[in-house]
PDB file of all heavy atoms in Angstrom:
ATOM      1  N   ILE A  28     -43.595  65.347 -25.758  1.00  0.00           N
ATOM      2  CA  ILE A  28     -44.624  66.381 -25.636  1.00  0.00           C
ATOM      3  C   ILE A  28     -45.224  66.377 -24.234  1.00  0.00           C
ATOM      4  O   ILE A  28     -45.434  67.431 -23.628  1.00  0.00           O
ATOM      5  CB  ILE A  28     -45.706  66.172 -26.710  1.00  0.00           C
ATOM      6  CG1 ILE A  28     -45.116  66.446 -28.102  1.00  0.00           C
ATOM      7  CG2 ILE A  28     -46.910  67.091 -26.458  1.00  0.00           C
ATOM      8  CD1 ILE A  28     -46.009  66.013 -29.250  1.00  0.00           C
ATOM      9  N   PHE A  50     -27.633  80.452 -21.181  1.00  0.00           N
ATOM     10  CA  PHE A  50     -28.277  81.453 -22.022  1.00  0.00           C
ATOM     11  C   PHE A  50     -27.284  82.507 -22.499  1.00  0.00           C
ATOM     12  O   PHE A  50     -27.215  82.829 -23.698  1.00  0.00           O
ATOM     13  CB  PHE A  50     -29.418  82.130 -21.266  1.00  0.00           C
ATOM     14  CG  PHE A  50     -30.021  83.287 -22.015  1.00  0.00           C
ATOM     15  CD1 PHE A  50     -30.899  83.069 -23.056  1.00  0.00           C
ATOM     16  CD2 PHE A  50     -29.677  84.595 -21.687  1.00  0.00           C
ATOM     17  CE1 PHE A  50     -31.447  84.131 -23.768  1.00  0.00           C
ATOM     18  CE2 PHE A  50     -30.211  85.661 -22.397  1.00  0.00           C
ATOM     19  CZ  PHE A  50     -31.095  85.435 -23.437  1.00  0.00           C
ATOM     20  N   VAL A  99     -45.418  76.309 -28.507  1.00  0.00           N
ATOM     21  CA  VAL A  99     -45.761  77.226 -29.599  1.00  0.00           C
ATOM     22  C   VAL A  99     -46.732  78.298 -29.115  1.00  0.00           C
ATOM     23  O   VAL A  99     -46.576  79.490 -29.436  1.00  0.00           O
ATOM     24  CB  VAL A  99     -46.352  76.447 -30.793  1.00  0.00           C
ATOM     25  CG1 VAL A  99     -46.865  77.403 -31.864  1.00  0.00           C
ATOM     26  CG2 VAL A  99     -45.303  75.512 -31.381  1.00  0.00           C
ATOM     27  N   ARG A 101     -47.064  79.426 -26.005  1.00  0.00           N
ATOM     28  CA  ARG A 101     -46.323  80.348 -25.136  1.00  0.00           C
ATOM     29  C   ARG A 101     -45.441  81.277 -25.961  1.00  0.00           C
ATOM     30  O   ARG A 101     -45.305  82.468 -25.650  1.00  0.00           O
ATOM     31  CB  ARG A 101     -45.469  79.549 -24.145  1.00  0.00           C
ATOM     32  CG  ARG A 101     -46.241  78.760 -23.099  1.00  0.00           C
ATOM     33  CD  ARG A 101     -46.829  79.643 -22.016  1.00  0.00           C
ATOM     34  NE  ARG A 101     -45.816  80.246 -21.178  1.00  0.00           N
ATOM     35  CZ  ARG A 101     -45.274  79.653 -20.109  1.00  0.00           C
ATOM     36  NH1 ARG A 101     -45.638  78.419 -19.783  1.00  0.00           N
ATOM     37  NH2 ARG A 101     -44.384  80.282 -19.380  1.00  0.00           N
ATOM     38  N   ALA A 106     -44.245  86.632 -28.255  1.00  0.00           N
ATOM     39  CA  ALA A 106     -44.009  87.455 -29.443  1.00  0.00           C
ATOM     40  C   ALA A 106     -44.934  88.666 -29.488  1.00  0.00           C
ATOM     41  O   ALA A 106     -44.541  89.750 -29.940  1.00  0.00           O
ATOM     42  CB  ALA A 106     -44.164  86.607 -30.699  1.00  0.00           C
ATOM     43  N   LEU A 136     -31.362  74.083 -31.571  1.00  0.00           N
ATOM     44  CA  LEU A 136     -30.827  74.226 -30.224  1.00  0.00           C
ATOM     45  C   LEU A 136     -31.423  73.241 -29.231  1.00  0.00           C
ATOM     46  O   LEU A 136     -31.179  73.362 -28.030  1.00  0.00           O
ATOM     47  CB  LEU A 136     -31.036  75.669 -29.736  1.00  0.00           C
ATOM     48  CG  LEU A 136     -30.380  76.748 -30.600  1.00  0.00           C
ATOM     49  CD1 LEU A 136     -30.569  78.122 -29.967  1.00  0.00           C
ATOM     50  CD2 LEU A 136     -28.906  76.455 -30.824  1.00  0.00           C
ATOM     51  N   ARG A 148     -31.626  62.050 -36.130  1.00  0.00           N
ATOM     52  CA  ARG A 148     -30.737  63.213 -36.082  1.00  0.00           C
ATOM     53  C   ARG A 148     -30.249  63.560 -37.488  1.00  0.00           C
ATOM     54  O   ARG A 148     -30.140  64.737 -37.845  1.00  0.00           O
ATOM     55  CB  ARG A 148     -29.556  62.945 -35.147  1.00  0.00           C
ATOM     56  CG  ARG A 148     -29.967  62.759 -33.689  1.00  0.00           C
ATOM     57  CD  ARG A 148     -28.783  62.858 -32.748  1.00  0.00           C
ATOM     58  NE  ARG A 148     -27.767  61.842 -32.978  1.00  0.00           N
ATOM     59  CZ  ARG A 148     -27.804  60.606 -32.486  1.00  0.00           C
ATOM     60  NH1 ARG A 148     -28.836  60.223 -31.747  1.00  0.00           N
ATOM     61  NH2 ARG A 148     -26.822  59.746 -32.710  1.00  0.00           N
ATOM     62  N   ALA A 168     -27.111  72.477 -31.192  1.00  0.00           N
ATOM     63  CA  ALA A 168     -26.692  72.265 -29.805  1.00  0.00           C
ATOM     64  C   ALA A 168     -26.774  70.789 -29.451  1.00  0.00           C
ATOM     65  O   ALA A 168     -27.587  70.044 -30.008  1.00  0.00           O
ATOM     66  CB  ALA A 168     -27.572  73.075 -28.852  1.00  0.00           C
ATOM     67  N   LEU A 177     -20.976  65.168 -14.214  1.00  0.00           N
ATOM     68  CA  LEU A 177     -20.584  66.503 -13.794  1.00  0.00           C
ATOM     69  C   LEU A 177     -21.729  67.206 -13.077  1.00  0.00           C
ATOM     70  O   LEU A 177     -21.523  67.877 -12.063  1.00  0.00           O
ATOM     71  CB  LEU A 177     -20.129  67.320 -15.008  1.00  0.00           C
ATOM     72  CG  LEU A 177     -18.809  66.873 -15.634  1.00  0.00           C
ATOM     73  CD1 LEU A 177     -18.562  67.609 -16.950  1.00  0.00           C
ATOM     74  CD2 LEU A 177     -17.645  67.100 -14.676  1.00  0.00           C
ATOM     75  N   ARG A 189     -24.789  55.151  -8.410  1.00  0.00           N
ATOM     76  CA  ARG A 189     -25.177  55.538  -9.773  1.00  0.00           C
ATOM     77  C   ARG A 189     -24.067  55.322 -10.795  1.00  0.00           C
ATOM     78  O   ARG A 189     -24.220  55.656 -11.962  1.00  0.00           O
ATOM     79  CB  ARG A 189     -25.591  57.003  -9.777  1.00  0.00           C
ATOM     80  CG  ARG A 189     -26.799  57.264  -8.867  1.00  0.00           C
ATOM     81  CD  ARG A 189     -27.188  58.730  -8.885  1.00  0.00           C
ATOM     82  NE  ARG A 189     -28.436  58.909  -8.171  1.00  0.00           N
ATOM     83  CZ  ARG A 189     -28.526  59.125  -6.857  1.00  0.00           C
ATOM     84  NH1 ARG A 189     -27.423  59.195  -6.132  1.00  0.00           N
ATOM     85  NH2 ARG A 189     -29.696  59.259  -6.270  1.00  0.00           N
ATOM     86  N   ASP A 203     -32.013  57.416 -20.225  1.00  0.00           N
ATOM     87  CA  ASP A 203     -33.381  56.932 -20.060  1.00  0.00           C
ATOM     88  C   ASP A 203     -34.211  57.960 -19.299  1.00  0.00           C
ATOM     89  O   ASP A 203     -33.762  58.512 -18.293  1.00  0.00           O
ATOM     90  CB  ASP A 203     -33.334  55.616 -19.277  1.00  0.00           C
ATOM     91  CG  ASP A 203     -34.670  54.893 -19.250  1.00  0.00           C
ATOM     92  OD1 ASP A 203     -35.703  55.526 -19.514  1.00  0.00           O
ATOM     93  OD2 ASP A 203     -34.661  53.685 -18.952  1.00  0.00           O
ATOM     94  N   THR A 209     -36.060  63.693 -19.580  1.00  0.00           N
ATOM     95  CA  THR A 209     -36.676  62.981 -20.686  1.00  0.00           C
ATOM     96  C   THR A 209     -35.624  62.155 -21.435  1.00  0.00           C
ATOM     97  O   THR A 209     -34.427  62.411 -21.330  1.00  0.00           O
ATOM     98  CB  THR A 209     -37.367  63.965 -21.652  1.00  0.00           C
ATOM     99  OG1 THR A 209     -38.074  63.235 -22.639  1.00  0.00           O
ATOM    100  CG2 THR A 209     -36.368  64.880 -22.315  1.00  0.00           C
ATOM    101  N   TYR A 212     -30.231  61.928 -26.018  1.00  0.00           N
ATOM    102  CA  TYR A 212     -28.955  61.436 -26.531  1.00  0.00           C
ATOM    103  C   TYR A 212     -27.883  62.460 -26.215  1.00  0.00           C
ATOM    104  O   TYR A 212     -28.080  63.665 -26.409  1.00  0.00           O
ATOM    105  CB  TYR A 212     -29.007  61.194 -28.044  1.00  0.00           C
ATOM    106  CG  TYR A 212     -27.754  60.506 -28.518  1.00  0.00           C
ATOM    107  CD1 TYR A 212     -27.583  59.140 -28.331  1.00  0.00           C
ATOM    108  CD2 TYR A 212     -26.726  61.235 -29.098  1.00  0.00           C
ATOM    109  CE1 TYR A 212     -26.415  58.513 -28.721  1.00  0.00           C
ATOM    110  CE2 TYR A 212     -25.555  60.606 -29.496  1.00  0.00           C
ATOM    111  CZ  TYR A 212     -25.402  59.249 -29.302  1.00  0.00           C
ATOM    112  OH  TYR A 212     -24.244  58.631 -29.677  1.00  0.00           O
ATOM    113  N   LEU A 219     -20.493  64.755 -32.716  1.00  0.00           N
ATOM    114  CA  LEU A 219     -21.330  65.874 -33.136  1.00  0.00           C
ATOM    115  C   LEU A 219     -20.785  66.490 -34.422  1.00  0.00           C
ATOM    116  O   LEU A 219     -21.535  66.753 -35.372  1.00  0.00           O
ATOM    117  CB  LEU A 219     -21.394  66.922 -32.020  1.00  0.00           C
ATOM    118  CG  LEU A 219     -22.210  68.176 -32.297  1.00  0.00           C
ATOM    119  CD1 LEU A 219     -23.665  67.840 -32.580  1.00  0.00           C
ATOM    120  CD2 LEU A 219     -22.100  69.141 -31.109  1.00  0.00           C
ATOM    121  N   ALA A 226     -23.991  65.524 -42.950  1.00  0.00           N
ATOM    122  CA  ALA A 226     -25.139  66.212 -43.531  1.00  0.00           C
ATOM    123  C   ALA A 226     -24.718  67.148 -44.671  1.00  0.00           C
ATOM    124  O   ALA A 226     -25.581  67.778 -45.293  1.00  0.00           O
ATOM    125  CB  ALA A 226     -25.874  67.006 -42.459  1.00  0.00           C
ATOM    126  N   GLY A 227     -23.417  67.225 -44.921  1.00  0.00           N
ATOM    127  CA  GLY A 227     -22.925  68.047 -46.016  1.00  0.00           C
ATOM    128  C   GLY A 227     -22.452  69.423 -45.619  1.00  0.00           C
ATOM    129  O   GLY A 227     -22.134  70.251 -46.489  1.00  0.00           O
ATOM    130  N   PRO A 246     -29.552  75.698  -8.799  1.00  0.00           N
ATOM    131  CA  PRO A 246     -30.760  76.525  -8.807  1.00  0.00           C
ATOM    132  C   PRO A 246     -30.939  77.409  -7.578  1.00  0.00           C
ATOM    133  O   PRO A 246     -31.470  78.517  -7.684  1.00  0.00           O
ATOM    134  CB  PRO A 246     -31.890  75.491  -8.909  1.00  0.00           C
ATOM    135  CG  PRO A 246     -31.266  74.319  -9.573  1.00  0.00           C
ATOM    136  CD  PRO A 246     -29.844  74.284  -9.086  1.00  0.00           C
ATOM    137  N   ILE A 248     -28.637  78.857  -5.624  1.00  0.00           N
ATOM    138  CA  ILE A 248     -27.519  79.711  -5.254  1.00  0.00           C
ATOM    139  C   ILE A 248     -28.014  81.144  -5.030  1.00  0.00           C
ATOM    140  O   ILE A 248     -28.817  81.658  -5.808  1.00  0.00           O
ATOM    141  CB  ILE A 248     -26.417  79.661  -6.340  1.00  0.00           C
ATOM    142  CG1 ILE A 248     -25.140  80.359  -5.855  1.00  0.00           C
ATOM    143  CG2 ILE A 248     -26.895  80.268  -7.647  1.00  0.00           C
ATOM    144  CD1 ILE A 248     -23.953  80.142  -6.787  1.00  0.00           C
ATOM    145  N   CYS A 267     -11.846  78.436 -22.699  1.00  0.00           N
ATOM    146  CA  CYS A 267     -11.798  77.003 -23.026  1.00  0.00           C
ATOM    147  C   CYS A 267     -12.653  76.615 -24.217  1.00  0.00           C
ATOM    148  O   CYS A 267     -12.595  75.455 -24.652  1.00  0.00           O
ATOM    149  CB  CYS A 267     -12.274  76.193 -21.816  1.00  0.00           C
ATOM    150  SG  CYS A 267     -11.334  76.445 -20.305  1.00  0.00           S
ATOM    151  N   ALA A 275     -15.940  69.020 -24.044  1.00  0.00           N
ATOM    152  CA  ALA A 275     -16.920  68.118 -23.420  1.00  0.00           C
ATOM    153  C   ALA A 275     -17.098  68.365 -21.931  1.00  0.00           C
ATOM    154  O   ALA A 275     -17.971  67.761 -21.301  1.00  0.00           O
ATOM    155  CB  ALA A 275     -16.518  66.664 -23.653  1.00  0.00           C
TER     156      ALA A 275
END
Side-chain angles (χ1 to χ4, degrees):
I28 292 169
F50 173 78
V99 173
R101 292 286 292 275
L136 301 184
R148 295 195 298 276
L177 291 171
R189 299 180 172 88
D203 190 341
T209 186
Y212 188 78
L219 179 60
I248 190 171
C267 302

